Every structure is written in C-alpha cells, then in structure tokens.
C-alpha cells in the first residue's frame, strides 16, 4: 500500500455530483455551487475522499452541460468563480479533494471560437479549429459521410454555405480539431486555470475520441464497423496519447501532482495507455455496468481489471452508477437480460421491477466493490438507495437522446432527477423553487432526513461501509478463497474477509468479527443477495 499522500487517488472513494441536481440555494430550480457547499458537512459525514463535479460551465444545456460555452467560467445559474473558490475551500477544509470534468472532444456551438468559425466562412483559418468539410453533391447539399452521432441522427451538420461540421454527439456539440495547435494550447490553459484554483484532479470526458484521421475519402459507416486497436479514424487512435503525455507534464508540475481519470470506452486491453503514469494515470472500468448480478461474472470482471490496472501501473476503478446509466438499484430489480431502454419506454413498466430485491442486490454489490483494491466512484443519491425515476413523461425529458432518436431512446434523465433531502417541504429539500426534473412522490420515503440515524437505512449502511473501508483498506492485494457456487469470497491483507452471496440459498458465515452486512444475516447464514465483511478476531 502506498504511503505517499500524492497517491490518494489510488484507493479513493469519489462521489459524483451532478451540479444542477444536487442542491439549489437560490430557489431557481437549478442546483448550484453554494448548494453543494452547504452539503459539505453531509459529504464529510458520509466519508468520501473526493468529489467529482460534472460540468458547471456556461452552457445552453443541449447535453446537460457537456456542451461547454466557456471552459474557464461558471454558468451564472450555477454560481460564480468566487463561489467555486468557496466550494474548494470548504471541501479542502473537510479533507475532501475535488475533481472537475473536462470536456475536450467538443465545445458547444455557442463557444466564441465556433461563432467566429461560422462567421469567417469556408476555407478560413477560424474553421480549422473544428472539423469542417465540404458537403457532397452539386451545391454541398449532401453530408461528407453517412456517419451517425451518438445521440442519433447524422454526425454532420450543414451550416448553409456548403460546409458541414462534425459532431459525434448533439449538433450543438461541434468536435474540436485536435491537430490544431490553438486547440491544444487552449486546453492546457484550461487545465492550468482549474489546477491553479486548487482543483486536485480531472475527469476527462470521451478521452478516446480527441484525435481523428479524416483523410479523404472518408470511410462509410459500414467500413468503420470492426475497426479497432488504433485503426478506427474517430476513436482510440494512438496519437491521442501524445496529448495526454503533454497534460501529464503539466499535472506533474504541481505539488501535489494533479490526477486524472479517463472516460475511455475502449476494449479493456487498450485501457492501459490511458491509465499509465505517463498518461492520465487512471481510466474508468465500466465492466460492472454491463455485468449481471452473478458470482462468476463479477469475479471475472474483478480478476481482469486488477490485472489491467497492474499492467498499466495504475489502480482499478469500480462504478455501478453514474449520470449516464440506469441506477443500479433499478438495474438489479429487473430480470437479467432486460432491455433497459425498452423497459423505460414501456407503459406501466413491464417487467415490473422487484424493488426490494433490487435494493438488496445494489447494497450487496456496493459493499462488494468497496472492498476491492482500487478506487470506487459513487453517484449522488445511490447512498439513499435511489431507484431510477422511470416514468418521467416525454414532456419533462431534457436529454437530447430522446429527441435525436425520434423517441426510440428514453435517455438518461431518470437518474438525474434532483435528489431528496427532506421528506416534506418544497422539492424535498432540493430548493424552494421546485426541481428542474419532476420528483416522484416516493422520494419522500427515501429522503436523507428519513434515513439519517436510522439503523439499517441505506444511508447509514454507506456511512458505516465508508468508515470501515477507511480503516481497513490495504493496497492492491486480493486473494480469492474457495466458495460454493453462486458465492464469491476473498481476503485482503490485514485480516479482512469479504463474502458476497449472489445466488446461494444460504451460506455459512466465515470466521471473524462481522464489521459490515449489506442486509440482515439469518443466524449463522449469509442469505442470498448479501455481502458481509469480517475482520480477524484478535489472537
Ligand atoms: C460522456 C458524458 O458522461 C455524457 O454525459 C455526455 O453526454 C457525453 N460524454 C458527451 O460529452
């Protein structure tokens, strides 16, 4: 185990705050920085090591803030730079680090450089900072290729003068041209700007997409399929690591060095370069988002990822929920293999979720990942056992996915509803002016004030787990123990044993003193859907 304080990130519990949906201090329906600052005592009590703030930059919210107008400012609805400094001071005063989101693949279409590019016209140097191409056909009326965007629809948008620009996400998110020196220099300036303000680390959005090979003729969408390992023109190109090597130099000029974690949707064996000490240092592993609640599946993900992290010279990351996926209490409430989007779209929610079972499994899975070597990323509200708000009406939806897919994809709003702090009162304590996404009435039952101090509540379970982990965490080693089918057992150095019963009717409690249970034990048996942590009894 590293005793170097600069290695804090290796085993950190990082809590993701989606700023617009956390706490609204001024009653305008949108969460803000003073709101987050007011919750620092709550975060301290929860026991997290760091907070990751999703984008809080000026934005038209075409993609929940991932469409950034100005990467070196705060959206006026969310606060001011002074309030940002106050948040940093409050977090640091509570011993909590701060990680901010950097969105380097695209800006918003309101960014000053994009407006200049539009005004300057075809062939201008201003357009070279983005990815403009002439359209096909007699008057440029056809897109340069048939590529599609992540949220649906074409990946090219015409600007009316025969040029089209590339956007891998929404049309309001034009992709930067990373071959341009201005783009590189400007991002270094952004990183310095926040690092100088005391930010401890960065979460890098779509880290695998920055550098592109747009040599003509552009391949068709069909030709892109199956291009992997550096050969795809848009994703995971080897040149992207030159960018991160430069960023690493910048991070290492700070004391303590700034950290970074890559959001890189690449095959597991390609993650190492993003996570290497010469690169960003750590990369998200999203494998558990796709795994069923199943002993063999979980064990395989852990074995593979511990190996990948070691090969990269990094530590692994564990994620069960974030702002892009159905909350894990709901995922585990559905039969394995359920098409989550079809479920979200279905009238009356078919299949009917097993809410109690989902929560039981969510708590067991959380206790499982919190006992692993590496860092754990938690998403706001999961400490309350929040389920997905699955029945938002189409009129309420904000995620561009819904509109861009022509209503075929419901999108991600169901995990972004402002979280409930109080059972009673306007918007369940989120703020006095209502919530920007409607909260369901069942939020009252799971509000913070309903769980605070209540033995067995999910909130108290998270607090207990984080406190025990802080005491027990012991570096990179893990040893698997033989277990019956449907059960996974491992030990960590220092006499820490962890058992998760995924599907066994009831397995005998291992020896030791129980320090954490994700649910009630049945005498000496650990029931299905339960994780237990034990510590060796003193000799
Ligand atoms: C990944 C972010 O997590 C997601 O919310 C966003 O829509 C895309 N990147 C585009 O920035």
């Amino acid at each position: 185990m590293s005793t170097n304080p600069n290695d804090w990130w290796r085993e950190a519990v990082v809590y993701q705050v989606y700023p617009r949906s956390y706490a609204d201090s001024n009653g305008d329906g949108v969460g803000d920085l003073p709101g987050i600052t007011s919750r620092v005592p709550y975060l301290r009590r929860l026991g997290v090591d760091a907070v990751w703030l999703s984008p809080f930059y000026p934005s038209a919210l075409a993609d929940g803030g991932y469409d950034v107008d100005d990467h070196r400012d705060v959206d006026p609805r969310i606060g001011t730079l002074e309030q940002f400094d106050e948040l940093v001071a409050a977090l640091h005063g509570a011993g909590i680090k701060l990680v901010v989101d950097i969105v380097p693949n695209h800006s918003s279409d309101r960014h000053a450089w994009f407006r200049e590019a539009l005004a300057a016209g075809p062939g201008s140097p201003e357009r070279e900072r983005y990815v403009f191409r002439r359209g096909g056909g007699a008057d440029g009326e056809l897109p340069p290729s048939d590529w599609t965007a992540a949220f649906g629809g074409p990946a090219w948008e015409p600007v009316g003068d025969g040029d089209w620009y590339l956007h891998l996400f929404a049309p309001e998110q034009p992709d930067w041209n990373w071959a341009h020196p201005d783009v590189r220099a400007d991002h270094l300036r952004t990183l310095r700007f926040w690092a100088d303000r005391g930010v401890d680390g960065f979460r890098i959005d779509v880290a695998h997409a920055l550098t592109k090979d747009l040599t003509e003729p552009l391949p068709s969408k069909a030709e892109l399929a199956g291009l992997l390992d550096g050969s795809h023109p848009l994703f995971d190109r080897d040149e992207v690591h030159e960018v991160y090597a430069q960023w690493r130099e910048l991070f290492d000029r700070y004391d303590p060095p700034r950290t970074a974690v890559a959001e890189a949707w690449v095959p597991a064996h390609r993650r190492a370069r993003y996570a290497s000490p010469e690169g960003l240092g750590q990369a998200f592993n999203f494998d558990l988002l796709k795994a069923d609640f199943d002993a063999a599946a979980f064990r395989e993900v852990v074995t593979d990822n511990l190996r990948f992290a070691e090969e990269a010279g990094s530590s692994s990351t564990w994620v069960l929920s974030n702002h892009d996926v159905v909350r894990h209490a709901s995922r585990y409430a559905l039969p394995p293999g359920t098409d989550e989007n079809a479920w979200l779209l279905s009238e009356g929610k078919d299949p009917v979720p097993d809410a109690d079972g989902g929560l039981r499994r969510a708590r067991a899975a959380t206790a499982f990942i919190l006992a692993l070597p590496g860092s754990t990323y938690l998403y706001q509200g999961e400490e309350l056992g929040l389920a997905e708000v699955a029945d938002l009406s189409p009129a309420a939806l904000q995620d561009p996915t819904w509109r861009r897919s022509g209503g075929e994809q419901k999108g991600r709003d169901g995990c972004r509803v402002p979280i409930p702090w109080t059972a009673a009162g306007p918007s369940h304590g989120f703020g006095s002016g209502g919530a920007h996404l409607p909260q369901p009435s069942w939020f009252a039952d799971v509000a913070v004030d309903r769980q605070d101090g209540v033995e067995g509540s999910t909130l108290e379970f998270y607090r207990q787990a984080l406190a025990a982990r802080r005491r027990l965490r012991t570096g990179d080693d893990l040893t698997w123990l033989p277990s019956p089918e449907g059960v996974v057992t491992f030990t960590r150095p220092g006499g820490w044993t962890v058992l998760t019963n995924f599907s066994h009717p009831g397995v005998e409690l291992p020896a030791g003193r129980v320090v954490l249970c994700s649910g009630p034990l049945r005498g000496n048996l650990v029931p299905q859907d339960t994780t237990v942590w034990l510590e060796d009894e003193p000799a």
Side-chain angles (χ1 to χ4, degrees):
M1 177 169 139
S2 170
T3 49
N4 182 345
N6 293 351
D7 284 345
W8 65 268
W9 54 274
R10 292 186 75 93
E11 294 186 85
V13 174
V14 185
Y15 179 93
Q16 181 189 358
V17 169
Y18 192 73
R20 289 176 177 81
S21 300
Y22 202 59
D24 171 18
S25 72
N26 61 2
D28 65 357
V30 177
D32 47 39
L33 297 181
I36 302 168
T37 304
S38 73
R39 304 301 181 195
V40 169
Y42 171 82
L43 294 167
R44 183 185 190 153
R45 171 98 199 275
L46 184 57
V48 301
D49 300 304
V51 162
W52 149 30
L53 268 194
S54 276
F56 50 86
Y57 314 108
S59 167
L61 302 186
D63 178 22
Y66 284 89
D67 45 320
V68 178
D69 299 349
D70 177 353
H71 227 316
R72 295 185 287 273
D73 205 352
V74 175
D75 190 301
R77 285 161 297 183
I78 295 193
T80 61
L81 281 169
E82 290 66 38
Q83 288 168 341
F84 180 85
D85 295 339
E86 284 161 21
L87 173 60
V88 174
L91 286 168
H92 285 171
I96 300 172
K97 313 271 189 209
L98 179 61
V99 171
V100 299
D101 224 306
I102 295 292
V103 190
N105 178 66
H106 41 265
S107 71
S108 83
D109 60 351
R110 306 197 313 177
H111 191 285
W113 281 1
F114 192 72
R115 289 174 194 239
E116 283 173 21
L118 287 186
S124 61
E126 287 83 351
R127 287 207 176 172
E128 285 170 19
R129 293 179 180 136
Y130 290 90
V131 185
F132 281 90
R133 284 287 179 284
R134 292 307 282 171
D139 299 310
E141 71 279 10
L142 299 174
S145 73
D146 64 347
W147 300 345
T148 44
F151 299 143
W156 296 97
E157 189 72 8
V159 296
D161 54 20
D163 265 7
W164 297 61
Y165 67 86
L166 179 71
H167 58 88
L168 294 184
F169 294 90
E172 296 86 350
Q173 293 168 295
D175 280 42
W176 288 113
N177 170 16
W178 271 88
H180 200 295
D182 285 359
V183 172
R184 294 190 180 219
D186 196 62
H187 279 82
L188 289 171
R189 202 175 144 208
T190 295
L191 295 169
R192 267 198 307 272
F193 180 87
W194 295 111
D196 288 347
R197 291 195 108 88
V199 159
D200 302 279
F202 301 97
R203 178 263 186 193
I204 311 303
D205 190 64
V206 225
H208 58 305
L210 277 47
T211 54
K212 302 182 176 81
D213 176 8
L214 296 184
T215 314
E216 314 250 348
L218 299 176
S220 68
K221 188 178 167 185
E223 285 164 339
L224 293 182
L227 292 180
L228 285 173
D229 294 356
S231 60
H232 196 289
L234 304 175
F235 300 118
D236 193 25
R237 300 197 55 78
D238 291 335
E239 310 87 83
V240 79
H241 299 292
E242 292 161 20
V243 173
Y244 299 135
Q246 217 183 359
W247 290 15
R248 173 49 57 194
E249 262 177 50
L250 183 148
F251 297 155
D252 286 350
R253 267 185 253 140
Y254 286 85
D255 182 21
R258 299 324 192 220
T259 67
V261 57
E263 187 220 20
W265 290 88
V266 297
H269 68 276
R270 299 274 298 176
R271 239 180 255 146
R273 287 187 74 186
Y274 296 87
S276 77
E278 297 77 38
L280 292 174
Q282 200 179 42
F284 278 121
N285 140 35
F286 293 129
D287 297 353
L288 288 177
L289 300 179
K290 287 167 272 164
D292 289 336
F293 184 79
D294 173 83
F298 267 53
R299 186 171 160 162
E300 187 181 331
V301 167
V302 173
T303 309
D304 289 350
N305 280 286
L306 291 181
R307 184 162 46 83
F308 296 141
E310 194 181 347
E311 282 165 13
S314 183
S315 67
S316 193
T317 56
W318 308 106
V319 181
L320 292 170
S321 280
N322 65 31
H323 66 299
D324 288 333
V325 298
V326 171
R327 285 183 177 276
H328 65 288
S330 289
R331 280 206 317 276
Y332 296 144
L334 298 169
T338 303
D339 175 338
E340 288 158 16
N341 177 55
W343 173 71
L344 286 174
L345 288 170
S346 64
E347 287 287 328
K349 293 296 153 281
D350 177 25
V352 176
D354 165 16
D356 292 347
L359 181 58
R360 252 193 339 263
R361 290 184 273 279
R363 288 171 52 143
T366 298
F368 177 87
I369 63 167
L370 281 171
L372 295 171
S375 42
T376 299
Y377 286 75
L378 306 176
Y379 178 52
Q380 65 179 42
E382 68 166 88
E383 76 278 18
L384 306 176
L386 273 197
E388 186 82 358
V389 181
D391 52 2
L392 288 170
S393 72
L397 298 177
Q398 300 174 5
D399 185 346
T401 308
W402 166 251
R403 202 171 33 87
R404 303 280 309 159
S405 69
E408 281 184 13
Q409 299 286 327
K410 182 109 188 239
R412 303 160 291 179
D413 293 305
C415 65
R416 299 176 178 183
V417 175
I419 65 167
W421 295 94
T422 55
S427 62
H428 296 293
F430 166 68
S432 59
H436 65 96
L437 280 166
Q439 298 165 308
S441 55
W442 54 262
F443 263 27
D445 306 332
V446 288
V448 172
D449 68 350
R450 278 281 172 90
Q451 301 198 38
D452 190 17
V454 176
E455 206 188 317
S457 72
T458 302
L459 177 59
E460 290 302 336
F461 160 69
Y462 267 72
R463 286 173 173 164
Q464 206 191 335
L466 296 192
R469 175 191 159 99
R470 200 173 272 263
R471 193 166 55 76
L472 292 168
R473 63 184 165 194
T474 41
D476 293 339
D477 293 334
L478 173 150
T479 309
W480 300 107
L481 297 185
S483 309
E485 174 121 6
V487 178
V488 172
T489 317
F490 59 86
T491 55
R492 305 285 312 279
W496 180 12
T497 302
V498 178
L499 180 149
T500 300
N501 180 355
F502 288 85
S503 57
H504 193 279
V507 63
E508 204 168 309
L509 197 60
R513 188 177 65 84
V514 173
V515 284
L516 185 79
C517 275
S518 69
L521 298 175
R522 242 184 13 244
N524 209 33
L525 290 182
V526 183
Q528 194 181 333
D529 301 336
T530 307
T531 294
V532 59
W533 295 0
L534 305 106
E535 229 182 328
D536 285 353
E537 304 278 8

